[in-house]
Amino acid sequence: MNLSKKTPVISKEFVFQFIIITILFALWGIANDLTTPMVSTFKKVMPELSNTQASLVQFAFYFGYFFMALPAALFVRKYSYKSGIILGLILYATGAFLFYPAAHYQSYTFFLVSLWVITCGLAFLETTSNPLILFLGNKETATQRLNLAQAFNPIGAITGLVMAQFLVIKEIKSDDYTPAAFKALSSNELAKIRENDLGVISIPYIGLGIFVLIILVVIVFTKMPKTAHEDKMSISESFKKLFANKNYKHGVIAQAFYVGAQIMCWTFIFQYVDNINKTFGLELTATYYNITAMILFLIGRWVGTGLMKTTNPSKILMIFGIGGVLCACGAILLQGMPGLISLICISIFMSIMFPTIYGIALKDMGDEAKIGSAGLVMAIVGGALMPVMQGSILDWGGSGFSDIKILGFIPEINFSFILPLICLSVVAYYGYSTYKSSKKVLIIEEFKNVDIANSVI
């Protein structure tokens, strides 16, 4: 169906609420990408960690989504969108402040718990904010509206990466030593360096916690739309209807694979660059390339959102999925800068995937959208599981990133991106299948219109 040019993407009465909620999209983008470089950072500060253990940073972070998404949806269903947002911000701030005692006790496990609490808060925010954005306007522009709101998420992501680079990575002392020199330090010297570096890691999170509290105050005094009139369907009926919806179930699967691909591409770009530096004698800064990926992601999101004014979202998802697969092939097969450029360009094609899958999966849903939202947020667990699998591939030959060569010429780090390739293939297929289904629906509607016209004549 072609959207009318007169149909606003955002209803006028909800413009202010849209702006406030959009800030939350940027806010969890900061947390996501402030945390992404921590896999590499903790490995440097705590060299005793394996690649698999270091990747538990992402497991702890994204497992919180899976754990808390359904309780968040039930909480919002019982109370309100606003209550869910407030509780989410409280948990977010609490997890951020827990970084202080985690640094004090120098406990890796404590850091993982802190990250988990943060994402329990983010689960509330995402479970609440995504369906709320869909509600703030005409249902025909819902997917486009969600893409517009999600377009501000990369701005937060870039902010998080900049914070990570200049407040953490540049300030940690562990990075000043070669592995051999680091091992040669005395126990007292190592203890001082670790104490300093863990304190450095905690500073941006504590600052972020303070900022979250400020946003919390603003939300408390913002009037949000009430949707209690929709709450007529029982929880059991909602689940029954969701499980019978093939489009929704496949959307949850596609979302899990997409998030897994996104987190792997943005997490292991640091190891990818480290291997290029070691292999070719370069001194590339991984964060700068990650920021470039974020900028391309942002551009792709805006372009994709614009295309949805005239093009079926499922068709765009299919095309972008295929583009991502081709770039993943380049990241695997190409060495040096060509491979890195291919890896960075994957972000262009991932840009519209999360909100587009979300919008397609929840299309034409009523009250069950609140519970359905939980399933799509729980799917973010893909970001917890996939990086650990990729980290285990890096450990095949040892702690390095090119200890063995697959097929005789592909380093472990390059080969590990076969996982994002598989994930993006799943997303492309979901786009294809839903596009095919939407065309069938359109044909049926056209035949119905013809029948009605003939009956009138």
Side-chain angles (χ1 to χ4, degrees), residues 217-228:
V217 173
V218 175
I219 293 292
V220 167
F221 291 100
T222 300
K223 186 177 180 180
M224 293 293 173
K226 295 181 180 180
T227 58

Side-chain angles (χ1 to χ4, degrees), residues 23 28 32-33 38 51 145 165 170 195 203 212 214 235 290 305 340 389 393 400 408 422 437:
I23 291 175
W28 70 64
N32 290 343
D33 287 275
M38 293 303 112
N51 289 307
R145 183 165 51 256
Q165 175 62 27
K170 272 202 167 187
E195 181 180 0
I203 290 174
V212 169
I214 295 173
I235 294 176
N290 213 349
T305 301
L340 179 57
M389 293 174 62
I393 291 177
I422 294 170
S437 298

Side-chain angles (χ1 to χ4, degrees), residues 28 30 38 54 92 98 102 152 193 201 288 307 323 335 361 364 407:
W28 70 64
I30 294 175
M38 293 303 112
Y92 189 157
L98 284 175
F152 290 88
I193 291 173
I201 289 173
Y288 297 153
L307 290 173
Q335 302 292 315
D364 296 327
L407 301 177

Side-chain angles (χ1 to χ4, degrees), residues 4-312:
S4 170
K5 292 182 179 179
K6 295 182 179 180
T7 303
V9 177
I10 309 160
S11 295
K12 291 182 179 179
E13 65 268 33
F14 296 137
V15 170
F16 182 73
Q17 288 86 346
F18 179 84
I19 293 172
I20 296 299
I21 300 303
T22 298
I23 291 175
L24 299 181
F25 283 75
L27 196 58
W28 70 64
I30 294 175
N32 290 343
D33 287 275
L34 173 60
T35 301
T36 294
M38 293 303 112
V39 174
S40 177
T41 302
F42 272 114
K43 184 73 170 64
K44 292 174 181 176
V45 177
M46 300 178 171
E48 69 274 12
L49 299 176
S50 67
N51 289 307
T52 304
Q53 289 173 319
S55 67
L56 289 177
V57 166
Q58 296 293 41
F59 179 83
F61 191 85
Y62 289 96
F63 184 72
Y65 283 104
F66 180 81
F67 179 85
M68 193 59 71
L70 184 56
L74 296 175
F75 180 88
V76 171
R77 180 187 174 94
K78 183 175 181 179
Y79 297 101
S80 67
Y81 283 126
K82 185 173 180 178
S83 298
I85 291 171
I86 290 173
L87 183 54
L89 290 171
I90 290 172
L91 288 171
Y92 189 157
T94 300
F97 290 134
L98 284 175
F99 265 69
Y100 179 78
H104 176 74
Y105 290 108
Q106 299 186 21
S107 170
Y108 183 58
T109 302
F110 206 149
F111 278 111
L112 296 181
V113 171
S114 303
L115 289 169
W116 180 77
V117 174
I118 288 175
T119 43
C120 284
L122 297 185
F124 267 89
L125 295 182
E126 293 212 35
T127 302
T128 303
S129 300
N130 285 297
L132 180 54
I133 288 293
L134 295 176
F135 178 78
L136 300 178
N138 190 292
K139 68 176 183 178
E140 296 299 332
T141 59
T143 299
Q144 185 183 357
R145 183 165 51 256
L146 185 56
N147 267 278
L148 177 59
Q150 287 273 5
F152 290 88
N153 176 264
I155 295 176
I158 292 171
T159 302
L161 283 173
V162 170
M163 290 171 65
Q165 175 62 27
F166 295 101
L167 298 181
V168 178
I169 297 174
K170 272 202 167 187
E171 298 299 324
I172 61 171
K173 294 182 178 179
S174 300
D175 209 20
D176 296 337
Y177 299 87
T178 63
F182 194 79
K183 290 180 180 179
L185 295 173
S186 67
S187 57
N188 287 335
E189 289 173 322
L190 288 172
K192 288 181 180 179
I193 291 173
R194 178 172 295 204
E195 181 180 0
N196 172 82
D197 290 354
L198 293 179
V200 167
I201 289 173
S202 69
I203 290 174
Y205 285 94
I206 295 170
L208 187 56
I210 295 171
F211 181 70
V212 169
L213 291 181
I214 295 173
I215 299 298
L216 173 60
V217 173
V218 175
I219 293 292
V220 167
F221 291 100
T222 300
K223 186 177 180 180
M224 293 293 173
K226 295 181 180 180
T227 58
H229 61 280
E230 295 180 353
D231 297 337
K232 296 178 181 180
M233 189 179 295
S234 68
I235 294 176
S236 60
E237 287 175 326
S238 294
F239 277 116
K240 186 177 180 179
K241 191 169 182 179
L242 286 171
F243 287 130
N245 189 326
K246 181 180 177 181
N247 186 62
Y248 171 76
K249 288 188 295 185
H250 290 177
V252 172
I253 295 171
Q255 197 72 289
F257 278 94
Y258 159 66
V259 176
Q262 176 190 297
I263 303 309
M264 286 187 286
C265 288
W266 292 352
T267 297
F268 290 95
I269 190 174
F270 290 86
Q271 289 83 345
Y272 200 97
V273 171
D274 284 346
N275 186 60
I276 289 176
N277 287 339
K278 183 177 180 181
T279 303
F280 297 95
L282 302 176
E283 295 184 0
L284 305 177
T285 301
T287 301
Y288 297 153
Y289 290 93
N290 213 349
I291 290 174
T292 300
M294 291 297 113
I295 294 172
L296 293 176
F297 186 86
L298 177 59
I299 293 171
R301 180 70 62 82
W302 284 104
V303 171
T305 301
L307 290 173
M308 287 180 193
K309 293 180 180 179
T310 56
T311 308
N312 187 303

